[in-house]
Amino acid sequence: MKLYVLLATLIIGCITFSCTKSPKQQAETATQQVNPLEKVFKEALAQEKNLYDLVRMDIIKERIITEYSQKFYDKFFHYVQVVPSISYEDNMYKCEGWEAHLSGNIAKLTYNPTNDQLIASLTLEGRIVQPDGNIHYNTEGWEQRYDKDEFDEDIKSQPMAYYDLVADYNLVPYHHICIIIAKGGMILSTNDFVYSSANISKILIKDNDSGKVYNIAFDETYYQGGGAGSMRYNEVGVIMRWENISKFVNIVTSLTNYSIAFINENDENKVVKNPKDLKNIRDAIQKFVIDKLEEFS
């Protein structure tokens, strides 16, 4: 019996001894358990670093690429220019940055050491960049088109955004408004003057809520005839370059209840009220023209 008690005591003592670590071993274990990413954020906070510094560190770069994508990281990296120091609140590290001249382009990075969660977000002109690096645009009512070569095939390096608002009360189809946007500029035209070839003299936009009227600037007039014996009506309108396109886009995307008046040299006018899907013009330009051109740059 005494032998059994002695053996039991020895076994318990061995177990206790094997499970008890020295202070040095405990310190080494604690060091090993510190998350490398948490260590980076702790040091960044102590040194008052910012997102500009963090996004250039390999450990954070690799984590963003792994959890999001290379394309997302490239965009995120590009828009981090103006940056305040990193902060720590509610057990989370937080930092953000934005483009120097466009404060609406905002990149944010947060890290929660409790669950090792790193969250990166990027907003460009109010649009959220998805993890794959793409922006999901609203282009309803618009089409992707291209210039054609001599074989009537698409020239992918010459993309266009196309919009038309077609009349639905006449046997001969025609456009209340037709817009073609390409690298060289924008054509804004109408068939509403039917066979008249008089040039457009003014385009006005009226905010129906406030009564304010905008006189739309353009660079030159535009005319395309239907041709002799053609069932097509003449297209009359204007051509805008990028400065005037930008002004036009800002107006039509800022209003919710408005009318567009085409006025020709004979002082005849044609009015279109609240053209459907024209509010999507900014997204259409970005997706169908700018993004496509970047693919060939």
Side-chain angles (χ1 to χ4, degrees):
M1 185 67 178
K2 289 181 180 179
L3 180 61
Y4 293 142
V5 172
L6 179 60
L7 287 172
T9 302
L10 287 171
I11 292 171
I12 293 170
C14 289
I15 293 173
T16 303
F17 180 77
S18 64
C19 292
T20 302
K21 296 181 179 179
S22 68
K24 183 179 178 181
Q25 289 174 318
Q26 290 176 347
E28 288 176 351
T29 302
T31 301
Q32 291 171 358
Q33 290 175 347
V34 172
N35 189 303
L37 204 56
E38 181 180 0
K39 183 180 178 183
V40 166
F41 276 92
K42 275 186 176 180
E43 291 175 352
L45 182 67
Q47 298 168 15
E48 297 184 346
K49 290 187 176 182
N50 52 46
L51 185 55
Y52 184 90
D53 304 314
L54 287 166
V55 78
R56 283 162 170 74
M57 296 180 180
D58 288 341
I59 187 171
I60 292 179
K61 174 182 176 180
E62 291 168 6
R63 181 74 174 265
I64 292 175
I65 291 173
T66 299
E67 296 191 6
Y68 292 82
S69 65
Q70 179 71 55
K71 187 174 180 180
F72 180 92
Y73 174 80
D74 292 341
K75 286 186 177 180
F76 193 89
F77 180 93
H78 175 76
Y79 288 102
V80 177
Q81 297 174 8
V82 180
V83 282
S85 299
I86 186 174
S87 64
Y88 182 75
E89 53 186 275
D90 300 327
N91 197 36
M92 292 183 67
Y93 296 92
K94 301 178 181 180
C95 49
E96 64 180 19
W98 51 89
E99 194 175 12
H101 303 292
L102 291 171
S103 59
N105 294 343
I106 302 174
K108 295 183 179 181
L109 191 68
T110 62
Y111 178 68
N112 187 338
T114 303
N115 55 13
D116 189 35
Q117 184 180 45
L118 183 74
I119 299 176
S121 65
L122 179 62
T123 303
L124 302 181
E125 296 184 2
R127 307 182 189 97
I128 297 174
V129 178
Q130 304 299 315
D132 61 6
N134 295 316
I135 298 173
H136 292 232
Y137 300 107
N138 179 6
T139 57
E140 184 177 356
W142 291 76
E143 296 177 33
Q144 175 75 75
R145 293 195 178 185
Y146 298 91
D147 274 344
K148 302 287 186 179
D149 62 14
E150 58 269 28
F151 296 101
D152 203 29
E153 296 177 350
D154 292 341
I155 305 174
K156 297 293 184 170
S157 61
Q158 297 180 24
M160 299 183 294
Y162 179 83
Y163 169 88
D164 65 350
L165 186 61
V166 181
D168 56 6
Y169 55 81
N170 196 295
L171 293 177
V172 180
Y174 66 94
H175 305 109
H176 290 309
I177 294 178
C178 181
I179 296 177
I180 301 174
I181 306 170
K183 180 180 179 180
M186 180 179 92
I187 296 173
L188 169 62
S189 63
T190 181
N191 292 139
D192 278 355
F193 291 101
V194 194
Y195 292 112
S196 171
S197 59
N199 287 329
I200 294 296
S201 61
K202 285 191 297 186
I203 294 180
L204 304 177
I205 296 181
K206 180 182 178 181
D207 180 350
N208 295 323
D209 293 325
S210 69
K212 183 176 181 178
V213 175
Y214 300 86
N215 193 339
I216 304 302
F218 56 88
D219 295 276
E220 57 185 284
T221 57
Y222 170 81
Y223 168 76
Q224 183 173 334
S230 173
M231 293 294 289
R232 287 181 52 215
Y233 295 131
N234 295 339
E235 287 183 34
V236 291
V238 300
I239 297 174
M240 299 182 194
R241 308 303 176 196
W242 284 102
E243 182 178 352
N244 288 327
I245 293 173
S246 179
K247 294 176 182 177
F248 177 78
V249 169
N250 288 339
I251 291 171
V252 298
T253 54
S254 66
L255 303 177
T256 55
N257 179 18
Y258 65 96
S259 300
I260 300 179
F262 293 88
I263 303 169
N264 68 14
E265 293 174 329
N266 297 330
D267 209 27
E268 299 169 322
N269 73 304
K270 299 296 178 181
V271 178
V272 179
K273 184 174 180 179
N274 292 325
K276 183 181 178 183
D277 299 324
L278 191 53
K279 63 183 181 296
N280 299 333
I281 186 171
R282 195 186 302 276
D283 280 8
I285 292 173
Q286 186 68 45
K287 181 176 181 179
F288 294 147
V289 182
I290 297 175
D291 285 0
K292 289 296 181 182
L293 287 170
E294 287 179 353
E295 293 178 9
F296 290 88
S297 62

